[in-house]
Amino acid sequence: MRILVTGANGSVGRGLIPALLDRGHQVIGLDKEAGMERAIAHPRFSFARGPVEDWATVEPVAAGAEAIIHLAWSFSDDPRVLVEQDLRGHALLLEAAARHKVGHFVYTSTAVVYGKPSRVPVEEDHPLNVLAARKPAYGIAKEFAEKLVMLAGQTGVSSTILRFWWAFGEEIGGRHLREMLQMSADGKSLAVPAGCGGSFLSQDDFNLAVETILRRPAATGRVFNLASAYVTWEEVARMIVEVTGGTGGIQVVPREAWTGAAFLADRWELDDRRIRERVGFKPCREPSEVRDALRQAIGATWAHLRARHA
C-alpha cells in the first residue's frame, strides 16, 4: 500500500514509518522540517519537505496515495496558528484525499477534546467539553478538525479518528515530565496527586492500530480511543526517582488538597473497548510490560537530557 504520513519528523511519525516499511508498504513522509530523509535509507521511502497548509506541497504527494496518516500539528495555543496552519493544512489534506480518491484517511486527534473527565473511564461518547481543557484553543481546533473529517465522509472519504492521551516510544516527550526528571536529579521531592494519572500509549500499539485499521477499512467514520495501560502519577514518579537516582522521595498529596499543575489532578483513564471489539485491535503487551517499557523510555529520555547538558 502507498501511504502518505504527515508530520514525518515528529516523535510518532519517526516511530510509525519504519514499522510501515517493515510491513511492506511504500511510504511518503511529509514534514516542513528536514531530517527524516537522512534517518531512513529505504527503497520504498521518499520524503517531501513542505508545510501541510501549502496546496502545492500537499496535492502532488497525495496523488496516488492509497492511505493518508495525518499526524502533523503545531501544538500551538495561538488561534491564528491553529487556523492558518493546522486547520488549513487539515482541510487541504481532506480535499486532496477526495480529489485523488485516497482509500482511507486516518486522523490522529487527542484526548484533549474531552476537556476534563466528568466520568471514568472516558469512553468515546464522553462529552467534548473543550473549554474546560488545559489547552482550550488546541482542543477546539482538534475537535473542529474531527468534524471536518466527518464532513469529508459525506463526500466519500473513508476515515478513522484516533484519540489518545500520551504516546511514547524509545523516549517520551513532555515539558512537565522533563521538569520532574530534573527536580528528582537535584534531590528535590516529587509531589503528585493521589489517584490520578493517564492512559499511556506505546508506539508499538499505535503502529499496530494503524495497520489493523488499514486492513479493516470497515471502521470508516468511527472514533476510537487508543491506550496501552493506565499509569498513575505516583507510579511515574517512582520510575523517575529510579532512573535519576533521586534522593528527595515522593510526596503523594490528596486530590482535594492538590495545588500543583491542574492537568495532573485528573484521572485520564481511556476506555478503548470499542477499537478492540469492532476492529479486532489487541495491544502488543500486558499492562505490566507497558509499565516496564514506559520506565525504559523515561530512562532513555533522562540519559538524552544528561548528554545534551553535559
Side-chain angles (χ1 to χ4, degrees):
M1 183 179 292
R2 188 170 186 265
I3 302 173
L4 169 62
V5 177
T6 72
N9 272 315
S11 58
V12 176
R14 290 196 305 270
L16 173 64
I17 290 173
L20 293 174
L21 292 169
D22 286 346
R23 289 179 170 90
H25 298 294
Q26 179 182 351
V27 181
I28 304 167
L30 173 63
D31 202 295
K32 62 183 178 182
E33 302 293 339
M36 196 63 182
E37 74 283 8
R38 296 189 297 271
I40 297 181
H42 196 288
R44 283 185 275 104
F45 176 69
S46 59
F47 181 80
R49 185 176 183 182
V52 292
E53 64 269 22
D54 175 34
W55 178 251
T57 297
V58 168
E59 198 273 338
V61 294
E66 296 170 82
I68 294 175
I69 314 298
H70 182 27
L71 306 173
W73 204 267
S74 71
F75 298 103
S76 175
D77 291 319
D78 185 336
R80 185 168 178 173
V81 172
L82 291 165
V83 171
E84 296 179 357
Q85 295 182 24
D86 295 316
L87 288 173
R88 173 177 167 78
H90 184 75
L92 291 180
L93 282 164
L94 288 169
E95 180 181 345
R99 175 175 295 193
H100 294 291
K101 296 181 171 53
V102 174
H104 202 72
F105 189 98
V106 178
Y107 173 54
T108 53
S109 187
T110 171
V112 175
V113 298
Y114 295 120
K116 188 177 180 66
S118 60
R119 58 178 183 257
V120 177
V122 179
E123 83 292 344
E124 290 87 349
D125 294 328
H126 184 285
L128 304 186
N129 186 16
V130 289
L131 290 178
R134 64 184 178 91
K135 291 168 64 79
Y138 171 78
I140 289 168
K142 294 293 275 189
E143 180 188 2
F144 185 60
E146 288 189 7
K147 298 298 190 290
L148 290 178
V149 172
M150 295 299 185
L151 284 173
Q154 298 178 9
T155 65
V157 176
S158 173
S159 61
T160 302
I161 296 169
L162 296 175
R163 294 174 181 160
F164 55 91
W165 185 68
W166 197 335
F168 71 94
E170 293 182 357
E171 295 187 24
I172 181 168
R175 177 183 58 82
H176 191 80
L177 189 140
R178 291 194 299 271
E179 290 175 351
M180 291 176 72
L181 283 165
Q182 192 59 59
M183 287 176 61
S184 178
D186 292 341
K188 298 177 182 178
S189 176
L190 297 182
V192 293
C196 300
S199 292
F200 287 84
L201 173 66
S202 75
Q203 180 75 55
D204 288 343
D205 279 342
F206 178 80
N207 297 346
L208 179 59
V210 168
E211 182 69 21
T212 304
I213 288 166
L214 294 179
R215 288 201 311 265
R216 299 189 61 179
T220 291
R222 298 309 303 265
V223 177
F224 295 117
N225 284 340
L226 195 55
S228 296
Y230 177 81
V231 185
T232 67
W233 283 114
E234 182 177 357
E235 290 177 289
V236 171
R238 295 192 187 284
M239 295 175 191
I240 289 172
V241 169
E242 179 183 346
V243 302
T244 61
T247 58
I250 300 168
Q251 179 186 6
V252 181
V253 180
R255 187 175 179 182
E256 61 274 12
W258 177 252
T259 58
F263 88 96
L264 297 182
D266 287 312
R267 186 176 175 88
W268 282 103
E269 182 180 0
L270 300 187
D271 184 337
D272 64 346
R273 286 177 296 175
R274 179 183 288 180
I275 194 169
R276 296 181 187 226
E277 295 170 357
R278 302 189 184 183
V279 184
F281 168 75
K282 183 179 180 181
C284 300
R285 303 181 182 95
E286 295 297 320
S288 61
E289 297 173 318
V290 175
R291 288 177 173 82
D292 288 340
L294 178 60
R295 186 196 62 76
Q296 292 173 20
I298 291 173
T301 300
W302 175 236
H304 188 184
L305 288 173
R306 290 179 64 191
R308 193 168 65 186
H309 293 107

